[in-house]
């Protein structure tokens, strides 16, 4: 099989790394890819992940059999619709199904239809009506832009005043442009967050694991939001019983509701969950793997990812054996360029990558790198590396990731040293010897 992966971050490096090990993978391309991906795939640096025409041309030029789409933007823009119209199989939802991530109001409608637990909410396109609702319901509440806002369109409002200001920012000042012309106002839920993943082929959903990530830039989960500074899997709060509930109460009913609407969901369904004593509640859906969650999910996969992806694209997930997972914990520590998520420098040199990758249990995924003419690896983005380690405990996995980071030479980079703190505290309480 000839496979093309779309994207150029750590998630796509993990996808390529796993696909490349399949005996059925005859050739692997990545558009645009990065310096780490170039070690396992042929990169197409001139083909951007959002350049739909160029991706279609590349598929024809290389006789691609299967396209795996990493990020949401090309999905929402209709890449999979165009590929399928051209007779090319793809893993990812149609534009109509990608609205589960692209529109929070749409997602809320589908969840209501499917009877999936989610925060009580109301949708508004008129700021005056939204404000009247806030005055009526009171605070705290969460105000969300309907559309894609680079993870910044969710405003947690402790007071009525903050909620009214949030409505002004989104709807009147249009801080996120058209994404905020429609908003959702919902209950502020309490509990522990986790991310759950399922591969879906339109009718069947297959469990791909749960992870927890750290979105804030600072230790102790403080400071501005980022794309994710680290993650670990499994999520201790998602035991087998909870995974079963997530599949039967959330994933499967959502897949059925999407099929009933005539927009079957095919690809990766990523549920952002709040979990409390009563069970799991959906905060949001994404229509792709998380980054860096993908790195830790795939690090634990025992088996052939390509078989699963091919079955996803062709509606045959019910026929393939369920994936098996290593009993170990995987943890990823993201190394970012100093200044991220604000302004940062590009082009600084990174040394010690080979030594880091040689630490027991460690794989270094590249998120934003390029190789210069002399062969030096240079930082080429905000999030630059995902140092991923397997271990017998969360603590051991993190110690291995840190050991790898300590042999890297990259003075212009930084990372959080407390990834997994919640899980490690839990481990220490229950298994003090670990
Ligand atoms: P979202 O983009 O919808 O996942 O929201 C980003 C973050 O905002 C989530 O990871 C949660 O931490 C938080 N959040 C979103 N909705 C709620 C809610 N209803 N209650 C509490 N926290 C929320
Ligand atoms: N790490 C969060 C996301 O990929 O959306």
């Amino acid at each position: 099989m000839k496979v093309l992966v779309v994207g150029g971050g750590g998630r796509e490096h993990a996808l390529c790394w796993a696909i490349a090990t399949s005996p059925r993978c005859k050739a692997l391309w990545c558009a645009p890819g990065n310096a780490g991906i170039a070690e396992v795939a042929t990169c197409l640096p001139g083909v951007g992940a959002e350049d739909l025409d160029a991706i279609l041309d590349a598929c024809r030029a290389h006789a691609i059999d299967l396209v795996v789409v990493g990020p949401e933007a090309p999905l929402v823009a209709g890449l999979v619709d165009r590929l399928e119209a051209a007779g090319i199989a793809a893993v990812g939802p149609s534009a109509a199904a990608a609205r589960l991530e692209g529109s929070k109001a749409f997602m809320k409608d589908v969840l209501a239809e499917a009877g999936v637990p989610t925060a009580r909410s109301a949708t508004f396109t008129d700021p005056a009506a939204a404000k009247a609702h806030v005055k009526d319901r009171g605070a705290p509440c969460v105000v969300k832009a309907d559309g894609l806002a680079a993870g910044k369109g969710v405003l947690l409002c402790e007071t009525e005043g903050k909620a009214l200001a949030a409505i002004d920012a989104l709807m009147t000042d249009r801080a996120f442009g058209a994404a905020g012309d429609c908003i959702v106002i919902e209950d502020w839920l309490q509990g522990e967050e986790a991310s759950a993943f399922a591969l879906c082929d339109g009718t069947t959903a297959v469990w791909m694991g749960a992870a927890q990530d750290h979105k804030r830039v600072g230790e102790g989960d403080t400071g501005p939001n980022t794309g994710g500074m680290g993650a670990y899997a499994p999520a201790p709060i998602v035991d087998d019983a909870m995974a079963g509930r997530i599949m039967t109460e959330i994933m499967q009913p959502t897949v059925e509701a999407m099929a009933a609407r005539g927009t079957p969901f095919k690809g990766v369904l990523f549920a952002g969950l709040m979990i409390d004593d009563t069970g799991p509640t959906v905060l949001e859906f994404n229509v792709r793997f998380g980054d860096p969650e993908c790195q830790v999910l795939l690090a634990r996969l025992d088996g052939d990812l390509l078989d699963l992806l091919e079955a996803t694209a062709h509606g045959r997930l019910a026929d393939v054996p369920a994936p098996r997972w290593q009993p170990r914990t995987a943890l990823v520590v993201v190394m970012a360029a100093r200044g991220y998520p604000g302004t940062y420098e590009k082009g600084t040199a990174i040394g010690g990558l080979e030594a880091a990758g040689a630490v027991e249990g460690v794989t270094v995924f590249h998120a934003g790198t390029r190789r210069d003419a002399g062969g030096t690896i240079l930082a080429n983005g905000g999030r630059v590396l995902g140092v991923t380690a397997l271990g017998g405990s969360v603590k051991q996995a993190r110690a291995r990731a840190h050991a790898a980071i300590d042999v890297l030479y990259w003075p212009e980079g930084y990372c959080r040293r407390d990834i997994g703190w919640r899980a490690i505290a839990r481990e220490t309480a229950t298994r003090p010897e670990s």
Side-chain angles (χ1 to χ4, degrees), residues 104 142 144 154 156 186-189 193 215 274 283-284:
K104 297 208 191 286
V142 182
K144 300 185 171 185
V154 173
L156 301 169
E186 68 181 27
D187 288 351
W188 183 328
L189 303 178
E193 281 187 61
K215 289 200 178 71
M274 190 68 91
L283 295 179
E284 64 160 347

Side-chain angles (χ1 to χ4, degrees), residues 108-269:
K108 284 290 189 179
D109 287 346
V110 173
L111 291 186
E113 237 169 70
V116 169
T118 185
R120 202 167 44 111
S121 74
T123 299
F124 299 93
T125 50
D126 169 33
K131 287 183 178 177
H133 174 74
V134 163
K135 286 178 187 149
D136 187 44
R137 76 177 306 287
C141 65
V142 182
V143 178
K144 300 185 171 185
D146 174 59
L148 295 180
K152 295 187 180 129
V154 173
L155 301 156
L156 301 169
C157 306
E158 295 92 347
T159 63
E160 214 175 282
K162 280 197 179 169
L164 297 175
I167 293 167
D168 279 333
L170 293 177
M171 303 192 89
T172 312
D173 305 339
R174 299 183 90 224
F176 301 107
D181 288 346
C182 175
I183 64 166
V184 170
I185 300 179
E186 68 181 27
D187 288 351
W188 183 328
L189 303 178
Q190 302 297 324
E192 185 169 339
E193 281 187 61
S195 304
F197 298 84
L199 271 177
C200 310
D201 67 1
T203 47
T204 301
V206 168
W207 177 248
M208 287 296 283
Q212 288 178 295
D213 75 338
H214 295 267
K215 289 200 178 71
R216 305 291 201 93
V217 71
E219 291 183 0
D221 295 322
T222 54
N225 264 322
T226 69
M229 295 300 291
Y232 51 94
I237 192 169
V238 182
D239 56 13
D240 288 347
M242 182 61 70
R245 286 191 63 179
I246 294 167
M247 289 304 284
T248 54
E249 294 172 28
I250 294 170
M251 301 297 192
Q252 201 61 49
T254 301
V255 167
E256 282 162 21
M258 291 298 283
R261 279 175 165 250
T263 52
F265 187 89
K266 215 182 55 188
V268 180
L269 191 53

